[in-house]
Amino acid sequence: MTIWNPWHGCKKLSPGCANCYVYRRDESIGKDASIVTKTNDYNLPIKKTRQKEYKITPDDGTVYACMTSDFFLEEADEWREGVWDIIRERSDLDFVIITKRIHRFEECIPFDWGDGWGNVTICSTCENQDRADYRLPILLDLPIKHRAVISEPMLEDIDIEKYLKSGLIEHVTCGGESGPNARPCDFKWIKEVRRQCIRAGVPFTFKQTGAVFIMDGKIYHIDRKLQMAQAKKSGYSYIPGMGMADKIPYELPLRKTLFEGLARSDFRSRFYLSADDRKYIADKGMDTIRSHAADFVTKRLSSENPENDGKQTPMRGHPVFIAQHATACCCRGCLEKWHHIPAGKVLNEEEQKYIVDVLMDWIEKEVG
Ligand code: SF4
């Protein structure tokens, strides 16, 4: 990976900028980050050795442009054309441009951009729902070959599923905020976007916890050195079909704790077996109901990304469906939230048996 900062300094634009690390770092050395200047690295990707070969080669990895500014900043308009010339010349390198100013894209692209350049990924940031709903429709509408989304600092729960379902977003990254004034990032927000990515088949990276990380309602202050390592250790990054969720450590809840929690939930506790359900159970017998439950779990829940996940369990029509809603075994999101079984994991035999046991426990309690 190569960082290329052709200009330095930026103007704050949206809530994600409040604790901008460029400002923080510049302040620590007595510099004003709001003054935007062209840097000595402006030509970095085309600098050559004495043998007249490019210093940066494709082996150096992806080139991240403007990491101490914003590529589409107004103050850099006069320098951008030269940067496009450099990117055009280095068509052998992959460039990533991360921006909060996707709304300026069309007025900033080069004459020969066409429907996009294959070596350029445009990554729009969205720190909250408001910015996601403003920027992502613009990102999807533009002529771009490779699109990505980053939510860092992630400031709240964000629903980007409808944008992911377009099939046009290739990658999503989420992470918390670092620094002394960091705003908290809740693990449940990270997990939620990850589940949206799984359902849409989009790779997801959990990049860093940030300095203030909330997990299961508890606040943790994480040392800067550990923020990326902890995110990596969690195993919550995801690439479809790679079995990455198999490595996520988790513990199933105690049955007693689970049922006490379900009883406290207004939504879960409103489910009950109808007279027809009870008659069906009496006619078929518990062994048959258990085999139906096992079949539903295998067919509708066990794969890495079950079809129609979140809507695969009808609200009526079989006593097992009712038990699934009552015990939060209805979709992979509920299984993760209530039973801690990571979304994106192919359920093994033991996990499937656990779910069937929970369903049958509930049904047996109901029929008395
Ligand atoms: S756009 Fe990025 S670099 Fe610019 S102020 Fe905001 S966070 Fe900082």
Side-chain angles (χ1 to χ4, degrees):
M1 162 178 160
T2 302
I3 304 284
W4 174 34
N5 293 320
W7 46 85
H8 177 95
C10 200
K11 303 285 182 189
K12 294 191 178 187
L13 179 74
S14 63
C17 300
N19 299 320
C20 172
Y21 71 96
V22 180
Y23 275 74
R24 203 167 65 235
R25 224 170 45 188
D26 279 6
E27 265 160 37
S28 73
I29 54 169
K31 209 168 149 186
D32 182 353
S34 69
I35 298 169
V36 184
T37 51
K38 194 172 161 185
T39 70
N40 294 334
D41 274 345
Y42 185 82
N43 290 325
L44 183 70
I46 54 168
K47 281 188 179 161
K48 295 197 173 165
T49 62
R50 282 197 193 142
Q51 291 73 37
K52 305 223 176 312
E53 282 166 1
Y54 289 124
K55 285 186 177 169
I56 295 174
T57 72
D59 289 344
D60 295 313
T62 302
V63 181
Y64 286 81
C66 280
M67 298 301 279
T68 61
S69 183
D70 190 307
F71 192 88
F72 298 111
L73 191 72
E74 287 86 339
E75 286 73 3
D77 281 354
E78 57 181 308
W79 306 316
R80 197 171 302 101
E81 206 175 305
V83 161
W84 286 126
D85 291 343
I86 292 168
I87 294 175
R88 185 187 299 105
E89 179 175 332
R90 293 307 310 270
S91 60
D92 57 328
L93 297 177
D94 288 325
F95 293 85
V96 171
I97 294 170
I98 302 173
T99 183
K100 284 188 171 61
R101 291 168 170 82
I102 195 70
H103 59 279
R104 298 204 69 233
F105 180 87
E106 273 185 307
E107 57 185 291
C108 296
I109 46 177
F111 69 93
D112 56 350
W113 179 258
D115 60 354
W117 289 353
N119 66 329
V120 179
T121 297
I122 304 292
C123 179
S124 177
T125 68
C126 55
E127 60 269 44
N128 58 21
Q129 190 66 51
D130 175 68
R131 290 301 83 193
D133 290 336
Y134 173 66
R135 292 178 187 146
L136 299 191
I138 299 175
L139 177 74
L140 295 183
D141 256 9
L142 293 167
I144 295 171
K145 284 262 165 70
H146 302 287
R147 298 173 183 82
V149 169
I150 181 161
S151 180
E152 189 187 45
M154 192 176 196
L155 299 177
E156 63 182 23
D157 217 354
I158 299 176
D159 183 353
I160 56 170
E161 192 153 3
K162 64 179 174 213
Y163 309 116
L164 297 175
K165 292 228 160 126
S166 68
L168 297 173
I169 294 168
E170 295 176 7
H171 197 108
V172 173
T173 301
C174 288
E177 187 168 52
S178 54
N181 301 315
R183 291 158 285 182
C185 176
D186 197 317
F187 198 21
K188 69 182 182 196
W189 306 338
I190 303 276
K191 287 181 179 175
E192 179 54 43
V193 171
R194 178 178 173 274
R195 285 194 292 270
Q196 293 166 25
C197 287
I198 293 169
R199 290 195 288 268
V202 176
F204 171 84
T205 300
F206 175 26
K207 190 172 143 220
Q208 61 169 335
T209 59
V212 185
F213 194 57
I214 301 174
M215 203 162 58
D216 298 329
K218 278 194 213 146
I219 297 176
Y220 296 86
H221 294 274
I222 316 270
D223 191 274
R224 181 73 194 111
K225 291 193 290 291
L226 299 174
Q227 290 167 22
M228 289 176 101
Q230 292 288 58
K232 192 171 178 196
K233 196 171 151 201
S234 77
Y236 270 82
S237 290
Y238 172 78
I239 300 172
M242 298 293 283
M244 290 166 80
D246 291 346
K247 299 191 186 80
I248 298 177
Y250 77 95
E251 263 180 46
L252 292 168
L254 293 172
R255 198 68 55 89
K256 185 171 174 291
T257 317
L258 171 70
F259 275 91
E260 283 169 359
L262 292 167
R264 283 195 298 274
S265 159
D266 286 346
F267 178 72
R268 302 290 163 193
S269 58
R270 78 172 192 218
F271 289 94
Y272 62 91
L273 293 177
S274 67
D276 283 352
D277 291 326
R278 287 168 189 276
K279 182 171 180 317
Y280 186 81
I281 293 167
D283 289 350
K284 298 285 179 187
M286 281 299 183
D287 287 349
T288 302
I289 299 298
R290 173 174 275 276
S291 81
H292 289 178
D295 194 47
F296 291 150
V297 169
T298 303
K299 289 192 178 138
R300 296 166 186 244
L301 285 175
S302 69
S303 69
E304 175 180 319
N305 181 16
E307 204 181 326
N308 213 14
D309 193 28
K311 295 184 188 117
Q312 70 266 63
T313 304
M315 298 301 272
R316 61 175 72 88
H318 196 292
V320 170
F321 296 154
I322 312 300
Q324 284 185 267
H325 289 294
T327 59
C329 295
C330 42
C331 69
R332 295 303 299 266
C334 291
L335 275 177
E336 183 168 74
K337 285 183 215 162
W338 283 86
H339 303 266
H340 318 150
I341 301 175
K345 179 184 194 305
V346 178
L347 299 180
N348 60 33
E349 268 181 39
E350 203 181 317
E351 288 157 340
Q352 293 188 44
K353 181 178 177 306
Y354 158 81
I355 297 166
V356 172
D357 286 347
V358 168
L359 296 171
M360 294 311 293
D361 270 8
W362 185 85
I363 289 173
E364 277 161 17
K365 276 190 194 115
E366 277 287 295
V367 294

